Amino acid sequence: MLRKWADLVDQKRDDFARLLAQEVGKPLHEADGEVDFGKSWFRDYAEFDRRIEGDMLPADRPDEQLWIVPQPVGVAVGIIAWNFPIAVAVRKIAPALIAGNALVLKPHEDTPLSALMLAELAEEAGVPPGVFNVVTGPGETVGDALVRSPIPGVISFTGSVETGKAIARAAADHVTTVSLELGGKAPFLVMDDCDLDQAVETAVFSRFLNCGQICIANERTYVHKAIAGPFLEKLVARVEQIKVGDPLAEGTQVGPKVSRVELEKVQRFVAEAIAGGAKAMTGGSVLAGGEYAKGDWFAPTVLTGVRQDMDIMQKEIFGPVVPVMEFADFDEGLALANDSRYGLAAYLFTNDVNRIMRAVRDLEVGELDINRGPGESIHGDHTGWKQSGIGGDDGKYGLEHFLRRKTVYLKYR
Ligand code: NAD
C-alpha cells in the first residue's frame, strides 16, 4: 500500500507542487523537490516490512525460552509544522503504518490541504478506513485534545520548542511517549582554509531555501577574521541577486513568508537587532508595493555588527535573514557555535582534517554538514540535541518510537 501510495503521489506531482506553492509560498521548483523527497519515505519504509526485528535470547533457567518482540504502539498521533507539509507528513505516516499502527495526523492550521490530498490517495492506495486519519484545526484546541487523549501510544511531533515543551507536559498525564523534532539555530562556521566561493554559495542556499523557513537553516554565520572581508563582500553580492517573487512564476528563488504573523516575527527580530547596533548590509525591511502589494514579503537580508547575546543570534529567526559575525580562531568558533539552547544542526567549511575531527567530537548537534549544505537522506537519522528535541525521525531509528517491546518468558516441558 505504501508503494502504491507513492506511485499515486507521483501521478499527482504537479497538483501537489502547485498546492504547496500556494499553501506555503515556496517556489514551484522547491515544491517539486519536496514532493519527490516526501514520497521517497513511502518507498523506503515499505522495505521495513522485512526488517523489523526482535531478539531471541538464552534463558537463565532450564527448559525456558526468552524473546523480545517489537509490537505496534496502537494509535500514533502526528502533529506537524507548516514549512514542509508533505515531506514531514510522509515522514510520520510511513514509519507509523509500517510498524503496524493507525495514525491520526494533525497538519498545521495554515497548511492542511496537502495532508487532505494525501488522505484521498490513501483510500485509492487501499489503506483500510481508520488506519490513516487527518484531523484539521488549531493546535491549542484540536492538537491539545489529541495529546491529552488516553488513546495514543505515541505523539510524534514536529514544530517549535515552545509547543514541544507544552506537548511533553500534557502527554505526561498519561505517560504517553513523545518524539519531538523541534526548532534549530544552526551555526555556519567558515574557516580561513576553505573554498571561499563554495562556502558563500552554500551559506546562501542554506539560509534562503524555503524563504529561510527550515529547521536546519543557516541561522548564524561565523567567519574566520582572516577571510571575513572577502566573504562578506561576496555574500552580499550573491544575496542581492536573489529573485524574490511569485512562487508560481518561472525563475523565482524566494517566495513570501507563510503568514503575516511569521512576517511580523522576522520584522521584529531585525528591527531589534538594528536598534541594538547591527547593520543591514542589504535588505533589512519588508517588501511592499508593486508585485509585493499583496502577501507577506521580506527582503533577503545580511546583518553585520551583531553580538552573540542578541536575540537574533540566540532565537530562531525562521526567515530570509542571515546575521554574520567574525571569530579569531577555531576554538572560539566552536565555543560560539555551542553557545545555544538549540542543538539541531551545524555547518562547517574547512579542509583541515584536524578541525573536522574536533568538530565531529565537540559540536553539540544531532546533524553536522561538513563542506556541504542541507539535504538529508531518508535513511539517515534526524534528531535534535539539547532543546531541539528528543527521539527523532528517519531510517531505522525513526521507527523506534512507533514500536514498543514485549519480553516473553516461556516455560516448556
Ligand atoms: P508550532 O509549534 O507553532 O506548530 C506545530 C504544530 O503544533 C501545528 O500543527 C500546531 O497546530 C500544533 N500545536 C500548536 N500548539 C499546540 C498544542 N498546545 N498542543 C498540540 N499541538 C499544538 O510550529 P510551526 O510554526 O508550525 O513550525 C515552525 C517550527 O517548527 C520551527 O521552530 C521549526 O524549526 C520547527 N521545525 C522543526 C523540524 C525538525 O525536524 N526538527 C522540521 C520542521 C519545522
Side-chain angles (χ1 to χ4, degrees):
M1 286 171 202
L2 295 185
R3 291 186 185 102
K4 174 133 191 243
W5 208 342
D7 293 344
L8 292 168
V9 171
D10 248 347
Q11 286 164 23
K12 298 258 179 191
R13 184 177 186 256
D14 292 348
D15 296 347
F16 269 117
R18 217 180 151 75
L19 194 57
L20 277 181
Q22 289 169 326
E23 268 197 321
V24 187
K26 63 180 66 185
L28 263 184
H29 69 272
E30 283 187 25
D32 282 340
E34 180 180 341
V35 179
D36 292 342
F37 189 40
K39 72 165 187 255
S40 61
W41 272 290
F42 280 133
R43 296 206 172 109
D44 189 64
Y45 273 114
E47 301 293 319
F48 279 83
D49 56 354
R50 292 200 184 88
R51 281 194 207 144
I52 296 173
E53 294 175 350
D55 302 284
M56 188 75 83
L57 302 169
D60 280 336
R61 300 179 191 167
D63 304 331
E64 283 202 354
Q65 183 62 61
L66 158 59
W67 73 95
I68 302 172
V69 55
Q71 296 189 332
V73 297
V75 176
V77 163
I79 298 179
I80 60 173
W82 47 261
N83 58 341
F84 287 92
I86 289 179
V88 176
V90 185
R91 199 177 220 172
K92 307 286 187 204
I93 298 168
L97 265 55
I98 200 70
N101 302 293
L103 177 73
V104 180
L105 181 76
K106 196 203 84 62
H108 192 277
E109 46 272 45
D110 289 347
T111 55
L113 300 179
S114 32
L116 291 170
M117 199 160 142
L118 278 174
E120 277 175 21
L121 299 187
E123 277 180 32
E124 243 183 276
V127 177
V131 171
F132 173 58
N133 313 274
V134 177
V135 179
T136 59
E140 295 72 20
T141 48
V142 176
D144 185 64
L146 289 170
V147 175
R148 288 183 193 279
S149 161
I151 297 171
V154 67
I155 312 293
S156 183
F157 174 72
T158 297
S160 63
V161 170
E162 298 320 319
T163 306
K165 288 181 185 177
I167 286 177
R169 282 187 204 107
D173 276 349
H174 294 291
V175 198
T176 308
T177 304
V178 291
S179 173
L180 306 173
E181 287 288 6
L182 308 179
K185 186 76 192 166
F188 192 103
L189 283 176
V190 187
M191 288 306 297
D192 49 347
D193 65 302
C194 74
D195 177 330
L196 194 59
D197 289 332
Q198 196 201 350
V200 169
E201 197 54 40
T202 312
V204 172
F205 177 72
S206 56
R207 171 72 278 185
F208 295 96
L209 188 69
N210 202 22
C211 197
Q213 304 165 136
I214 303 187
C215 55
I216 56 169
N218 161 18
E219 282 264 334
R220 45 196 176 116
T221 300
Y222 298 105
V223 193
H224 191 280
K225 65 176 183 192
I227 51 159
F231 178 90
L232 200 59
E233 203 176 302
K234 284 171 186 270
L235 181 77
V236 171
R238 181 65 189 77
V239 171
E240 284 176 344
Q241 288 168 5
I242 293 173
K243 169 83 187 92
V244 181
D246 180 351
L248 296 174
E250 189 79 19
T252 293
Q253 292 167 324
V254 168
K257 285 282 297 168
V258 70
S259 66
R260 182 57 52 95
V261 176
E262 284 293 320
L263 177 74
E264 285 168 357
K265 259 194 239 168
V266 174
Q267 229 179 329
R268 203 164 51 242
F269 269 129
V270 172
E272 281 172 13
I274 290 173
K279 185 167 176 229
M281 304 299 288
T282 184
S285 57
V286 295
L287 294 169
E291 65 172 312
Y292 307 118
K294 285 202 279 182
D296 303 303
W297 308 87
F298 203 86
T301 298
V302 177
L303 293 176
T304 55
V306 292
R307 291 185 318 274
Q308 183 69 6
D309 63 352
M310 284 179 169
D311 275 0
I312 201 130
M313 299 301 276
Q314 294 292 339
K315 295 186 178 164
E316 194 178 31
I317 311 167
F318 231 54
V321 175
V322 59
V324 184
M325 232 176 100
E326 284 182 30
F327 62 90
D329 57 36
F330 192 55
D331 286 335
E332 191 194 356
L334 287 181
L336 288 166
N338 281 337
D339 175 28
S340 174
R341 71 173 177 146
Y342 299 94
L344 192 60
Y347 300 87
L348 170 65
F349 271 76
T350 180
N351 287 310
D352 180 335
V353 69
N354 296 305
R355 288 169 173 162
I356 289 173
M357 290 311 293
R358 280 202 48 207
V360 169
R361 188 190 64 193
D362 295 340
L363 283 176
E364 297 160 356
V365 292
E367 183 174 309
L368 176 55
D369 288 286
I370 302 166
N371 296 326
R372 80 192 282 276
E376 291 159 348
S377 292
I378 50 174
H379 60 302
D381 182 33
H382 182 56
T383 184
W385 288 22
K386 298 168 154 179
Q387 293 192 27
S388 288
I390 50 177
D393 288 330
D394 300 349
K396 62 179 179 182
Y397 300 111
L399 201 61
E400 282 176 352
H401 62 270
F402 292 110
L403 291 163
R404 53 190 162 179
R405 290 186 300 276
K406 184 176 285 170
T407 304
V408 183
Y409 299 91
L410 170 75
K411 174 138 189 77
Y412 59 90
R413 280 180 283 150

